[in-house]
Amino acid sequence: MQKFHVVIIGGGATGAALAHDLSLRGLRVTVVERGEVTSGTTGRHHGLLHSGARYAVKDQESAKECIQENMILRKIAPGSFELNNGLFVAITDEDMAYRPAFLEGLETCGIPYKEITPQEALRREPNLNPAVKAAVEVPDGTMDAMRLPLRFFATAQRNGAVIKTYTEVEELLMQGKTVTGVRVRDHVTEKTYEIGADIVVNAAGAWSGKIAAMAGVHVPLQPSPGVLVAVYGRWNNMVLNRMHRSGDGDIIVPQRTLSVIGTSSWVVEDPDRLEMKKEHIRLMYEYGAALVPAIKGAKMRAAWAAARPLIGSGGAQTGRELSRTFKCFDHAERDGVEGFVTIAGGKATTARGMAEVTADVVARKLGIDAPCRTREVVLLPHTAYYRRRW
Ligand SMILES: Cc1cc2nc3c(=O)[nH]c(=O)nc-3n(C[C@H](O)[C@H](O)[C@H](O)COP(=O)(O)OP(=O)(O)OC[C@H]3O[C@@H](n4cnc5c(N)ncnc54)[C@H](O)[C@@H]3O)c2cc1C
């Protein structure tokens, strides 16, 4: 049986950043992913490098995490972002009433910002709704949802991590109340086999509740899907956000020659059963047109849904009421199950920080004194991921 210090379940942004962190600390790591890497939520997100401004009023813990990680990612992943900044715009009197709390939130969370006049906003974004009453620029950016995690994977691979795709965890191996590895199915050969580990980390995003249940423990995970709509045409150059409490269809991210309007939010039990809500496509157009009126006539390129892995203990109605922050669960302390850790919640933007917290827990459990180095180490380019031999 193959044996590793750590088996990471899930090849999304979180699993990628964690494999990188643990490999840099000198641990033998494997990632098992049931599909292709980033085939879960990560490969379907909006592509916003968050400044945190979106959460500056209502979810300040997450906002602070976002701005901290935004600044670190710019250093360790140069070339992965379009540093186009974001513009929060007030269109209505109601938006204007939100402005004082918004500016105060930006100050509290340490998010740099600059107010610009409506005339200047329209000069820089000619397709913006001419009714704009106020505009605030923040360090948002556009990112490629897949390429950033590939850079984490590529660097982890260079440092010895083994990435196993099309490899699904069907069972956690247990000796009494200790997790000792995983039983996986290789979806290419359809054979099952076992992998041993000192610690198994559950980084399965919206599926982490299902993985936790395999160890007989519960994590308060609430999958919360949202719909995104990509339209032909790059209607704005900066990321445009409505200046109000984050809601449906209030953000347009320019991605190459497309514009992606997002998003909606509801809650589901099973992230494998996402209903693509047609009504939400209509709403994205309607609300998106409040920011950029020309969106109304733009031809749709694609629409899709993905599930956020949010921390919540049930009872959420839409997912908007749940924080975007993350939590690391050491199941030994919490549930009396040794050798098993879950990391859940957060954003793609905060994956590195989530990995740092989790790797600290893993290192402590293994009695290893190796500090985190991921704040400084510059990542390999994403193309290096495909060169598997070194
Ligand atoms: C509509 C929407 C828009 C978003 N926009 C943004 C944005 O613009 N910017 C941002 O920073 N964040 C955004 N997010 C949040 C972000 O996408 C997620 O927080 C992040 O991608 C989660 O990454 P993850 O690695 O935790 O989960 P995932 O990417 O889902 O990875 C978990 C992986 O586990 C795998 N898995 C599941 N079960 C098993 C098993 N049994 N065995 C092996 N593998 C398994 C899955 O296949 C999956 O690939 C958005 C989310 C949504 C839903």
Side-chain angles (χ1 to χ4, degrees), residues 87-170:
L87 205 57
F88 279 71
V89 294
I91 308 283
T92 61
D93 289 342
E94 224 182 344
D95 293 352
M96 282 304 277
Y98 181 78
R99 182 178 153 278
F102 180 60
L103 296 179
E104 196 185 317
L106 295 175
E107 291 280 353
T108 307
C109 298
I111 300 167
Y113 68 91
K114 187 174 154 211
E115 272 208 276
I116 62 174
T117 62
Q119 293 74 20
E120 174 65 5
L122 283 165
R123 193 189 62 75
R124 292 170 66 180
E125 293 291 351
N127 292 317
L128 186 60
N129 188 337
V132 53
K133 291 172 185 281
V136 176
E137 186 176 2
V138 295
D140 282 342
T142 295
M143 67 163 131
D144 183 306
M146 286 164 248
R147 289 182 177 172
L148 177 64
L150 284 189
R151 294 185 72 167
F152 282 117
F153 278 127
T155 316
Q157 246 177 195
R158 202 260 313 265
N159 291 319
V162 179
I163 320 296
K164 293 171 182 276
T165 52
Y166 300 101
T167 302
E168 178 160 5
V169 172
E170 293 193 334

Side-chain angles (χ1 to χ4, degrees), residues 9-15 32-35 39-42 45-48 50 143 167-169 203-207 211 214 224 226-228 263 306-309 345-349:
I9 306 173
T14 310
V32 287
E33 163 56 52
R34 68 180 188 171
S39 60
T41 304
T42 296
H45 76 64
H46 207 159
L48 172 63
H50 280 273
M143 67 163 131
T167 302
E168 178 160 5
V169 172
W207 293 266
I211 300 291
M214 293 180 188
S224 168
V227 163
L228 291 164
T263 174
R308 303 170 187 88
K347 308 290 299 174
T349 301

Side-chain angles (χ1 to χ4, degrees), residues 7 169 171-174 178-183 195-198 200 339:
V7 169
V169 172
E171 188 188 333
L172 296 179
L173 305 177
M174 308 225 15
T178 300
V179 175
T180 58
V182 291
R183 170 171 283 282
I195 308 172
D198 295 327
V200 172

